Structure formats: structure tokens, C-alpha cells
Amino acid sequence: MNLLYAGKTKDVYEGEGDTVVLKFKDDVTGTDGVFDPGANTVGLTIDGMGQSGLRMTTFFFEKMAEHGVATHFVSSNIEEATMTVKKATMFGNGLEVICRYRAVGSFYRRYGQYCEEGQTLDAFVEVTLKDDERNDPPISKDGLVMLGLLTAEEYDELEQMTKQISGIVKEELAKRQLELYDIKLEFGRDSEGALMLIDEISGGNMRAYGKDGYVEPLQLEKLMLA
Amino acid sequence: MNLLYAGKTKDVYEGEGDTVVLKFKDDVTGTDGVFDPGANTVGLTIDGMGQSGLRMTTFFFEKMAEHGVATHFVSSNIEEATMTVKKATMFGNGLEVICRYRAVGSFYRRYGQYCEEGQTLDAFVEVTLKDDERNDPPISKDGLVMLGLLTAEEYDELEQMTKQISGIVKEELAKRQLELYDIKLEFGRDSEGALMLIDEISGGNMRAYGKDGYVEPLQLEKLMLA
């Protein structure tokens, strides 16, 4: 297959027709060898991580289809750790859309003056620009519109979809006595320009807590798909 | 007078009745001895800076009154570099509301991926929390509402007032062939809970450019009040 782009945790290959193929790697983001879904660098490599992330992503993308949420998902090949997806156009060089149910991570680091660590948040949505060099800066709706990355109507739709998707994930976790603290999603436009969820939904882009605290991505997949 | 609070560029004293007295100091914010209105530390001391800032603030607060904009201004004593103002309650420990007409400073540092340095912006409003320890983090409307700092309606009013006030300042500068690039405002609630502009409007909290480039605060006051 023809490599189009080598990412931090996934490589992108040319697919047939209007598709591309994502190869899930065993690399995960983190800092100094410690996993951190919000980090910008590859922190460590975990055997089986790629397949595990793909199993979770397949599970959740199929759930999204059941709920009528548009995603780029076409099919998965777990053995090869590849996922065939519809081609998407990005908003600029990519946005990350975060939905928060607890004040942890960068939210707490920024707003600790006005919140307790871990306090509940009501599906708080925020957007950051994918920009390693500038440390993924947060940006407001007005900022996104002013820079021409999306329209005000698209932002509202993005926010509504983010809350719906995150709510579905939260509910699935709750069925296994797990709590979703926050989750990071990516969106693109399909060939007709309609919004769809892209990238992945796995332990690598969410924080899940159980009765013994934070649940690592591999463990999360075992608990979710048991 | 009884000192209530010693700030970076102003001290606050108890006033008569429902007022406080602000003493404008000769200290200005900056980094390594270079003036920077966006900086969080006192960078240098400039003789006459306090009186100059007060003359500008008095000029602009009187302009605001002409336009029906609510401010905390009561009266000034230029010789003593003091301004008597109405008592205000803050939003939390204070917000800074920035209005931008050009992509410079922290806007360009954050969003340089999608803008040219100095490109025009359409009165872009953003809010940061006053929090030296956390480097004055930017915060969205949703974030302000979720943390209980203000209501969605108050935010909209704050944004509208910011655009009106900044537009008045921009127009006054334009009369002297100067261009306003950005300006930082502060707001509080009066004793009835109504929004009003507080703090100051001077060269110390805006970036003004003339035909020879950036205009320093003292020079700006000379050009404006000549």
C-alpha cells in the first residue's frame, strides 16, 4: 500500500476508491514514558496497543452507527491492525474537540483557580488546534470562525455531535461500572461536505476511571470488550 | 488613606462613601526591562508614567460617558496621580477582556498556523483569567459560565460593551492618524449588579501604531492629548 502520512500513533495508506487505510501502531502518546492522552509526543510503545485500539474503535464506531452518528468507518481488519475509512477533509490541519465530565488534565491546570481537581463538569466542550509547534492552543468558536476554519453553524453542529458521541461513550462505560472523565474527538467533512467523526475512539483518547482509579487503555479494552 | 491593595501598576486606597481611590504608579508591565502590555510582571519604571496614564484614562473615561458607556470613573487628581472610582465587584479574581484588530502578540503566537503577523481581525474579543500563577489562561464563554464567573447573558453584554468601547478608542486614535491594534479592558459590577468598565484605558493596556511603528505609552499620551 502507498503510505500517505506517518502519524504519531497511526499511519495512513491509500485505499481503494474513496477510502484510505489507517494502520494502528503500538505507539502511544505520553511524556517521559508515561501515557498521557493529552500529550503531543510518542511517550512509549506497548505491544498489542494497535490491535487493542482498533478493537475498541470498531466497537464504538459500530455503536455510533446504531445511534445514527456519521463516522468515517467502513471496515476493520483486526489481525493486520488496519481500518478502512472514508476520505475526509480536515478543518485546516486538524482540530481536537474535547468533552469534559471532570475537571482534570489541562482544564484543571488552566482553571484550578476556580475549580477543585476532579469536580464534575456538564459535558464541557472545547476545541484545540492540532499544532505541535504551538502546543495545541485552545481556540474559541469566534476564533475558529474568524480564522476561517469553520462556520458558526458548523461549530454548533460540531459541539452538538461531540456531546452526543461523548454521551454514548460515557453510557457504554457506565454499563461496566467505569466513569468517563474526558474524551478527545476529531471531525472531518465527507465528500459532500457533511460533518463526520474521524480518527479513533479508544483508551488512547479518553480518560476512564474505575473503582481503583485510572484505567490504562489496554485494561480498558479488556473491561469493555470482555 | 487606608491601603486596600497594592497592585502591579496601581495601588488601591479606601475612599469616601461608596468609592475607592486608585493611585497610578510609575511602574509598567513588561519583561526584561521591555514594555509589554500583555506581560504579567513589572518590567520597568518610567518617570511620569502614572500621571500620563491617568491623563489618558481620564480623557477616555470622559469620552465613554459622552457615549453613554457605564464606567467606574468619578473624578481625577492629576497632580497626585489618583482617580476616585465607584466600588466594583469583580468576576472571580478578575477577567481581562481583549479586543483585537490586528493579529499580534499572544494571538499570533497561538494561531500563527492560520494567520499572518499583523493581519486585520474584525474586533475579535477574547477573555483571559487574571491568574499570574497560571499565566492568565484564555477561557471561552462556555468555560466562564461553567465555572460560575458570569452568566451567558452577562458574557454577551460584556462582549458587546467591549466592542463598543474599543471602537470608540480606535476612532479617537484614528483622528490622530494612529491605529489601534489591540486593547485590554476590565469590567466589574456596580452596587446594583450592572456591568461597568473599570481599571484604566491608557497606553499601558493597548497597542497603538503610527507611521513609524509602535507608539510607546508616554508618546501616545502626548500625541492624543496635544
Side-chain angles (χ1 to χ4, degrees):
Chain A
M1 288 189 294
N2 191 11
L3 182 69
L4 298 174
Y5 172 76
K8 284 193 283 272
T9 63
K10 282 189 285 299
D11 291 332
V12 183
Y13 294 90
E14 208 172 291
E16 290 176 10
D18 203 27
T19 67
V20 293
V21 176
L22 306 183
K23 167 82 178 177
F24 283 58
K25 302 198 279 192
D26 287 341
D27 297 333
V28 298
T29 55
T31 311
D32 300 330
V34 178
F35 168 69
D36 175 359
N40 243 335
T41 49
V42 168
L44 63 168
T45 298
I46 300 172
D47 279 346
M49 193 68 186
Q51 285 191 344
S52 170
L54 178 56
R55 274 191 297 266
M56 277 280 272
T57 297
T58 304
F59 170 79
F60 278 118
F61 277 12
E62 287 173 346
K63 284 277 167 223
M64 294 306 146
E66 287 170 23
H67 285 86
V69 174
T71 77
H72 69 161
F73 182 74
V74 175
S75 65
S76 293
N77 182 328
I78 303 290
E79 201 166 322
E80 295 184 357
T82 57
M83 180 167 76
T84 300
V85 300
K86 292 181 218 165
K87 270 185 194 160
T89 52
M90 310 279 276
F91 300 98
N93 299 317
L95 307 177
E96 294 190 333
V97 188
I98 299 144
C99 187
R100 301 181 180 277
Y101 296 100
R102 292 269 185 185
V104 294
S106 65
F107 186 95
Y108 178 68
R109 282 196 296 277
R110 273 179 275 142
Y111 306 134
Q113 189 181 187
Y114 297 111
C115 59
E116 298 294 319
E117 186 163 18
Q119 86 173 44
T120 56
L121 300 173
D122 184 19
F124 176 72
V125 173
E126 61 183 349
V127 178
T128 63
L129 298 179
K130 284 178 83 121
D131 189 344
D132 288 351
E133 202 184 310
R134 295 175 184 85
N135 235 333
D136 291 355
I139 185 163
S140 67
K141 174 181 174 178
D142 289 349
L144 289 161
V145 172
M146 185 144 303
L147 295 176
L149 290 172
L150 35 70
T151 65
E153 294 68 33
E154 280 177 322
Y155 183 91
D156 292 340
E157 195 186 340
L158 193 83
E159 185 175 21
Q160 189 273 326
M161 279 181 78
T162 297
K163 289 185 180 187
Q164 185 188 5
I165 293 161
S166 305
I168 294 167
V169 174
K170 191 173 197 290
E171 199 176 286
E172 289 300 321
L173 264 64
K175 288 180 187 169
R176 281 96 176 159
Q177 283 71 55
L178 297 167
E179 186 184 345
L180 181 65
Y181 274 31
D182 54 29
I183 183 167
K184 191 170 69 180
L185 305 175
E186 293 189 33
F187 292 87
R189 293 186 187 96
D190 68 16
S191 54
E192 261 96 61
L195 270 185
M196 61 179 175
L197 179 66
I198 64 167
D199 196 47
E200 65 175 281
I201 301 185
S202 74
N205 53 353
M206 67 177 77
R207 283 194 188 88
Y209 276 69
K211 63 177 168 43
D212 298 323
Y214 172 70
V215 182
E216 296 278 351
L218 280 178
Q219 179 63 14
L220 182 64
E221 184 241 319
K222 286 198 191 91
L223 293 171
M224 291 301 295
L225 308 185
Chain B
M1 288 189 294
N2 190 12
L3 182 69
L4 298 174
Y5 172 76
K8 285 194 283 274
T9 63
K10 281 188 286 297
D11 292 332
V12 183
Y13 294 90
E14 208 171 291
E16 288 175 13
D18 203 27
T19 67
V20 293
V21 176
L22 307 182
K23 167 81 178 176
F24 283 58
K25 302 199 280 192
D26 286 341
D27 298 332
V28 298
T29 55
T31 311
D32 301 330
V34 178
F35 168 69
D36 175 359
N40 243 334
T41 49
V42 168
L44 62 169
T45 298
I46 301 173
D47 279 347
M49 192 67 187
Q51 284 190 344
S52 169
L54 179 56
R55 273 192 296 266
M56 277 280 272
T57 296
T58 304
F59 170 78
F60 279 118
F61 277 11
E62 286 172 348
K63 284 276 167 223
M64 295 305 145
E66 286 170 25
H67 285 86
V69 174
T71 78
H72 68 161
F73 183 75
V74 175
S75 65
S76 292
N77 182 327
I78 302 290
E79 200 167 321
E80 295 184 356
T82 59
M83 179 166 77
T84 299
V85 299
K86 292 181 218 165
K87 271 186 194 157
T89 52
M90 311 279 276
F91 300 98
N93 299 317
L95 307 177
E96 294 190 332
V97 188
I98 299 144
C99 187
R100 301 180 180 278
Y101 295 100
R102 292 271 186 185
V104 294
S106 65
F107 184 95
Y108 178 68
R109 282 196 297 276
R110 273 179 278 142
Y111 306 134
Q113 190 182 186
Y114 297 111
C115 59
E116 299 293 321
E117 187 163 18
Q119 86 174 43
T120 56
L121 300 173
D122 183 19
F124 176 72
V125 173
E126 62 183 348
V127 178
T128 63
L129 298 179
K130 284 178 83 121
D131 188 344
D132 289 351
E133 204 184 307
R134 295 177 184 84
N135 234 333
D136 291 355
I139 186 163
S140 66
K141 174 181 175 179
D142 289 347
L144 289 161
V145 173
M146 185 142 307
L147 294 176
L149 290 172
L150 36 70
T151 66
E153 294 68 35
E154 280 176 322
Y155 182 91
D156 292 340
E157 194 185 342
L158 193 82
E159 184 175 21
Q160 187 274 324
M161 278 181 79
T162 297
K163 288 185 181 187
Q164 184 188 4
I165 293 162
S166 304
I168 294 168
V169 174
K170 190 173 197 292
E171 197 177 286
E172 289 300 321
L173 264 65
K175 289 179 189 168
R176 281 93 175 162
Q177 283 72 54
L178 297 168
E179 185 185 343
L180 180 65
Y181 273 32
D182 53 30
I183 183 166
K184 191 170 68 179
L185 305 174
E186 293 190 33
F187 292 86
R189 293 186 188 98
D190 68 16
S191 54
E192 262 96 61
L195 271 183
M196 61 180 177
L197 178 67
I198 64 168
D199 197 48
E200 65 175 279
I201 300 185
S202 74
N205 53 352
M206 67 177 76
R207 284 192 187 88
Y209 277 68
K211 62 178 170 40
D212 299 321
Y214 172 70
V215 182
E216 296 278 351
L218 280 177
Q219 179 63 14
L220 182 64
E221 183 240 316
K222 286 199 191 89
L223 293 171
M224 290 300 295
L225 307 185

